[in-house]
Structure formats: structure tokens, C-alpha cells
Amino acid sequence: MPAKDEPVVIKKYANRRLYNTGTSTYVTLEDLAEMVKKGEEFTVQDAKTGDDITHPVLTQIIFELENKEGQNMLPIPFLRQLISFYGDQMQMVVPSFLEQSMIAFAKEQERFREQMKSAIGKSPMDMMKIATPIKAIEEQTRRNIELFQNAMRLFTPFPPGGGQAAPAEPSRKDSEKSEELSELKQQIAAMQRKIDSMG
């Protein structure tokens, strides 16, 4: 059995069966999804080679969940955009951006849940205050989109219309990029401060 702070090892065998070494039982992808929801840390290893295959297994769980009736969370435009980033210069930026966005979203969601729990049994006036966390989530989402669009502009030499950017004097172009980079850094710092203040 692993130490409390160490992730449980799940072994995947050639017959596609998954074995939880922490509980000494065979598990399914649904069981692993439940472990994720409960916050239980685990890694998945190929039983034969010992290779870490956690990423493809988690991706498979998402694929299975997305194929269940009424459980789609990933909109088609998002999937198209995500696919377009593979092999693109933005690929190196996307993972950390998505990770930070999900951390911020999860913290806002937790705050909203806590306010919902404390609001049960309160007066209608108190219940009206619940709209505040929803607005905060919407605002966070809007800022995330702006931040991502600004990051994309730094890496995209052509405007979104597909046409070539109009030539500008090099010094003006450099100063605009410098301004955009400075603005992006400020937004990232603001987001980090917000995340830190939520902790």
C-alpha cells in the first residue's frame, strides 16, 4: 500500500484490465473517474513495460464520458480550436493556460458551492446575494478568453481574417508587440494574484 501522500499505482495489463495496487482489486474506467472526482491521486502504468500511461488513460476517460448521452462538456468549436493548436507554435502555451484556467474555475465553483450551502434556509434577500459568484465565474471566463486571445496575437503573424497584416514601420510594430507582451504579463500576474487570494 502506498504512503498517504503518494499516488496509488494502477497497472494496465495487455488484456486492457486495470488493477488498483492500493486496494488489490480490478477497476474500470468508471472507477478511475470516481477516484478523480474524489480527489484521489493515481498513476497508471503499463504492467509489462512500467511506462507511465496516465495521460492516455485520462484522455480515454474523457472520451468515454463525452460519448455518454447528455454528458457532453466540450463544445465542438472548442474541440476544433484545440485540434488546430496541435503542431502549432501555440501548443506550448495551451497546457499551462488551460491548467491555470481550470484551477481558477474550480476555486470559483467551490466558493459558489459554499455560498449555496450557507444560503439554504436564509431569507429571499440573502438568496439574491448568490448571483454574485455566478457573475464572478462569468467575469473570470471573460478574462480568460481575453488573456488567451492576447497570447494568440503574440504568436500569430496574420490577422484573423486570413489576409496579410499591413506593413508597418519596424519600430512601431516592435513597440506594439512590447505593449501587448507587457499587457499579457500584467494579466497573468493579476490572474495569479486572484488565484493566490482564493487559496
Side-chain angles (χ1 to χ4, degrees):
M1 194 122 186
K4 282 194 174 188
D5 52 352
E6 284 185 26
V8 173
V9 175
I10 309 292
K11 294 196 178 234
K12 185 173 185 181
Y13 290 91
N15 62 5
R16 302 174 81 182
R17 292 192 76 185
L18 298 161
Y19 184 77
N20 183 331
T21 62
T23 59
S24 301
T25 57
Y26 285 98
V27 292
T28 63
L29 290 176
E30 290 84 15
D31 295 327
L32 295 184
E34 283 305 312
M35 288 174 71
V36 169
K37 290 175 184 177
K38 291 176 184 174
E40 296 176 28
E41 290 291 324
F42 63 85
T43 60
V44 184
Q45 295 177 357
D46 184 292
K48 187 175 183 181
T49 64
D51 291 343
D52 187 331
I53 54 171
T54 308
H55 187 275
V57 169
L58 291 175
T59 306
Q60 186 179 359
I61 291 170
I62 292 170
F63 176 77
E64 296 286 331
L65 291 171
E66 281 290 308
N67 281 315
K68 284 188 178 177
E69 189 74 31
Q71 286 214 22
N72 309 74
M73 277 204 312
L74 303 175
I76 289 174
F78 172 81
L79 292 170
R80 290 183 195 278
Q81 189 69 59
L82 192 60
I83 290 167
S84 73
F85 288 135
Y86 282 93
D88 186 81
Q89 47 195 222
M90 285 301 294
Q91 184 172 343
M92 62 186 213
V93 177
V94 173
S96 61
F97 173 79
L98 291 176
E99 185 177 4
Q100 291 302 315
S101 297
M102 288 305 289
I103 289 169
F105 180 78
K107 286 186 177 181
E108 288 293 332
Q109 182 187 34
E110 190 55 39
R111 184 181 296 169
F112 178 69
R113 282 184 181 156
E114 288 302 316
Q115 288 188 347
M116 286 296 285
K117 279 183 196 172
S118 65
I120 294 173
K122 293 194 175 184
S123 71
M125 288 302 286
D126 290 334
M127 292 294 284
M128 289 175 66
K129 294 176 185 172
I130 292 174
T132 306
I134 294 172
K135 287 180 183 169
I137 290 171
E138 288 172 356
E139 178 64 19
Q140 184 66 45
T141 303
R142 186 188 62 73
R143 280 197 304 264
N144 287 351
I145 290 168
E146 281 179 12
L147 179 66
F148 195 57
Q149 287 171 339
N150 287 340
M152 282 181 59
R153 273 190 224 116
L154 291 175
F155 290 95
T156 308
F158 302 108
Q164 192 140 4
E169 302 106 34
S171 61
R172 184 174 172 213
K173 191 175 180 182
D174 290 343
S175 69
E176 284 175 5
K177 280 202 175 195
S178 177
E179 272 182 45
E180 287 177 353
L181 185 58
S182 175
E183 183 181 330
L184 182 60
K185 285 180 181 176
Q186 289 172 356
Q187 289 175 340
I188 290 171
M191 184 183 281
Q192 187 61 50
R193 283 193 299 274
K194 183 165 178 71
I195 290 169
D196 292 343
S197 71
M198 290 180 205

